Amino acid sequence: MSETAKLILEGKEYEFPVFTGSENEKAIDISKLRDQTGYVTLDTGYKNTGATTSKLTYLDGEEGILRHGGYSIEDLTNHASYMEVCYMLFNGELPNKEQLAAFETKISRHTLVHEDMKKIFDAYPTNSHPMGQLIAMVSSLSSFYPASLNPNRNDEAKRLTMFRMLAKMPTIVGMVYKKSIGHPIIYPNNNLDYVTNYLYMTFGNVTENFEVDPVIVEAMNKLLILHADHEQNCSTSTVRIVGSSQANLYAAISAGIAALWGPLHGGANQQVIEMLENIKADGGDTEKWINKAKDKNDPFRLMGFGHRVYKNFDPRALLIKDACDKVLNKLGINDPVLEIAKKLEETALKDPYFIERKLFPNVDFYSGIIYRAMGFPVEMFTPLFALGRLPGWIAQWKEMIDENQPIGRPRQIYTGYPLRDWKPIEKR
Ligand code: ACO
């Protein structure tokens, strides 16, 4: 007999089916709760709500496990190319050689953006935050590809939109960076692979030949894979909820980028470096800053620490810390904030406040130090996160559209005034 959950409300007993995932995760299926009982659930921040089923990513926050398509994040970062991971997220299986080559060729055909997109760029003040520009540029793609407005037109059209989105994002992120430093934009060179092409559009210069250290390409490949998908986080849920209204992919991704910008989500990578720099400028007393983070009367939080789902360790943080050491050693960079970061981590991990609350370094804690060593300014850290998370957003959107999921529309419990008599303005 299949498992059920019993609920007693006002003396009446109800039964709800238990849904079991492929890794034995259990959920009480309450889709008929309101119909049967008149009640809804209340779960602010969705801490206990499974908003969807998904075949893309498995995450066990207690055990520190992250897998895409059944492959561990450790295997993927150590062996796969970013394009292989993108292919797998889009298709459910790793590609063979021919499939990968065909996929890469297809993506490379769409790397250019419409020349008129540059006019939109021109209107931005040079010092505006790249994330604001990215949101607008990605949303603008819908104006240049009006056929994408109906996400259900047909499978071929859907795939073309997905390919365009994946192909044009590095170009746009590169343009945003070039604008911020006042340099002419660099057009994509489709002889280069996806990751190198992005680095070329960022660090290439019209006046010089482009050379990039293979260590940087390898680190970038790893960093992008580490960010590729992360099940139903804030930005991915945003992409799904916007997409569920049948808005087009570009609009949904643009909304996801907006959600990612916040300091409690992807914006944390910028905040971490700024925090570490402040601690350094303040004399490097990590103990003092740990105490500030613990003080409930102080709004300061240790940025890059804590996670909604990981309650043991964030496997991505371990991989990034390792990559960080390698990149800095190879490039011969001695970044004093790395020492501060390691000291903060060491002190926090021994402190009962952090132990009791299960607060560990997350993916953002060390990523900024590598980005900086590679030559990125802090404002580009969150756009880099967006670039990495893009295939996950696209794949989650596709999964939702293919499964014909209903529009996302949570309920609420109203706590405002009951009906009141109208009061004319002169009597208020
Ligand atoms: N520093 C100090 N205390 C913290 C921190 C932190 N970084 N994170 C959580 N806490 C404390 C909270 O004050 C709370 O304490 P309390 O129980 O005494 O009230 C407890 O730990 C639980 O924290 P919540 O905010 O309820 O946990 P939640 O799951 O809602 O938030 C979040 C998770 C947003 C990541 C949080 O840990 C945080 O703000 N971290 C810093 C920002 C950050 O690094 N964000 C990136 C996350 S990873 C990503 O999105 C890619």
Side-chain angles (χ1 to χ4, degrees):
M1 221 182 88
S2 52
E3 205 178 342
T4 56
K6 286 199 173 123
L7 174 71
I8 298 172
L9 271 177
E10 297 167 358
K12 225 173 140 193
E13 191 172 293
Y14 302 90
E15 267 190 66
F16 296 98
V18 168
F19 184 88
T20 307
S22 54
E23 287 288 343
N24 212 29
E25 292 168 291
K26 304 258 182 182
I28 303 164
D29 178 352
I30 54 147
S31 47
K32 300 272 184 299
L33 177 72
R34 192 167 180 277
D35 280 352
Q36 291 182 12
T37 66
Y39 283 61
V40 295
T41 54
L42 182 60
D43 185 23
T44 317
Y46 310 122
K47 291 189 180 189
N48 306 281
T49 298
T52 184
T53 59
S54 176
K55 292 186 172 59
L56 298 168
T57 291
Y58 172 64
L59 198 167
D60 180 335
E62 275 69 37
E63 297 297 324
I65 293 173
L66 174 63
R67 293 181 204 143
H68 301 307
Y71 298 101
S72 77
I73 192 65
E74 290 79 11
D75 268 348
L76 292 171
T77 33
N78 287 329
H79 306 300
S81 72
Y82 182 59
M83 278 293 99
E84 279 179 286
V85 175
C86 292
Y87 181 99
M88 188 184 63
L89 287 168
F90 285 13
N91 298 285
E93 296 294 341
L94 282 171
N96 62 27
K97 267 189 183 161
E98 291 73 37
Q99 288 166 328
L100 181 61
F103 182 69
E104 287 176 326
T105 305
K106 202 138 209 151
I107 298 298
S108 71
R109 295 262 156 80
H110 296 286
T111 51
L112 278 175
V113 296
H114 196 288
E115 280 294 290
D116 286 346
M117 292 272 281
K118 290 200 298 196
K119 293 185 191 149
I120 304 177
F121 253 149
D122 287 344
Y124 275 100
T126 309
N127 59 357
S128 62
H129 197 285
M131 284 298 276
Q133 296 178 41
L134 202 55
I135 292 165
M137 297 300 285
V138 168
S139 162
S140 302
L141 287 172
S142 58
S143 309
F144 291 93
Y145 302 102
S148 69
L149 293 183
N150 173 5
N152 284 319
R153 207 155 60 96
N154 57 50
D155 276 354
E156 201 188 324
K158 195 191 307 166
R159 288 193 81 74
L160 179 60
T161 303
M162 290 166 59
F163 289 155
R164 280 191 175 132
M165 185 65 252
L166 188 66
K168 291 177 198 311
M169 185 79 155
T171 313
I172 295 173
V173 178
M175 287 166 84
V176 169
Y177 172 69
K178 287 296 185 195
K179 164 122 195 153
S180 74
I181 56 169
H183 281 192
I185 63 160
I186 302 282
Y187 286 89
N189 174 353
N190 293 343
N191 294 317
L192 300 173
D193 65 79
Y194 187 92
V195 175
T196 313
N197 208 1
Y198 166 64
L199 292 168
Y200 166 63
M201 287 185 278
T202 300
F203 297 120
N205 201 316
V206 279
T207 54
E208 288 162 19
N209 286 334
F210 175 67
E211 275 174 34
V212 61
D213 192 321
V215 172
I216 297 215
V217 179
E218 192 194 321
M220 195 62 184
N221 187 65
K222 276 192 203 304
L223 282 159
L224 292 174
I225 292 174
L226 281 168
H227 287 88
D229 190 41
H230 211 235
E231 53 124 286
Q232 305 312 314
N233 55 81
C234 178
S235 53
T236 304
S237 300
T238 302
V239 169
R240 276 190 177 253
I241 213 151
V242 172
S244 78
S245 75
Q246 309 277 312
N248 64 82
L249 177 66
Y250 303 121
I253 300 288
S254 169
I257 299 171
L260 188 76
W261 193 359
L264 296 190
H265 191 12
N269 59 11
Q270 174 174 345
Q271 304 260 330
V272 169
I273 283 287
E274 287 168 355
M275 172 188 79
L276 295 172
E277 283 294 348
N278 281 341
I279 298 177
K280 189 178 105 192
D282 189 47
D285 181 355
T286 46
E287 202 78 41
K288 172 180 162 189
W289 290 80
I290 293 274
N291 286 334
K292 264 170 83 60
K294 286 157 50 177
D295 181 356
K296 292 289 167 200
N297 297 316
D298 189 326
F300 174 74
R301 277 190 168 201
L302 203 53
M303 298 313 287
F305 252 74
H307 197 274
R308 170 59 62 81
V309 187
Y310 291 119
K311 298 297 173 197
N312 188 346
F313 65 94
D314 179 341
R316 303 167 303 170
L318 296 190
L319 292 160
I320 287 191
K321 189 178 174 187
D322 186 46
C324 190
D325 280 331
K326 272 194 200 134
V327 168
L328 266 62
N329 279 341
K330 176 77 199 330
L331 300 181
I333 294 172
N334 181 14
D335 191 339
V337 303
L338 179 62
E339 284 320 304
I340 294 181
K342 287 186 173 169
K343 226 165 118 194
L344 268 182
E345 178 184 357
E346 205 184 297
T347 320
L349 294 183
K350 283 193 222 134
D351 191 303
Y353 174 96
F354 291 88
I355 295 171
E356 279 158 21
R357 289 169 181 77
K358 301 187 171 150
L359 302 170
F360 298 87
N362 59 47
V363 68
D364 294 322
F365 196 64
Y366 287 104
S367 63
I369 297 173
I370 312 194
Y371 291 146
R372 192 156 75 162
M374 288 168 150
F376 290 102
V378 285
E379 291 75 20
M380 288 307 295
F381 293 0
T382 317
L384 283 164
F385 194 149
L387 182 62
R389 182 55 51 85
L390 181 67
W393 287 333
I394 299 174
Q396 298 262 357
W397 172 87
K398 176 179 180 287
E399 187 174 55
M400 183 194 64
I401 297 284
D402 286 351
E403 289 177 3
N404 212 2
Q405 288 190 6
I407 186 165
R409 203 300 188 187
R411 292 254 174 189
Q412 65 159 28
I413 305 297
Y414 176 67
T415 54
Y417 288 107
L419 180 64
R420 298 196 275 176
D421 286 336
W422 168 251
K423 214 184 239 180
I425 197 160
E426 46 300 337
K427 293 203 176 146
R428 285 173 219 163

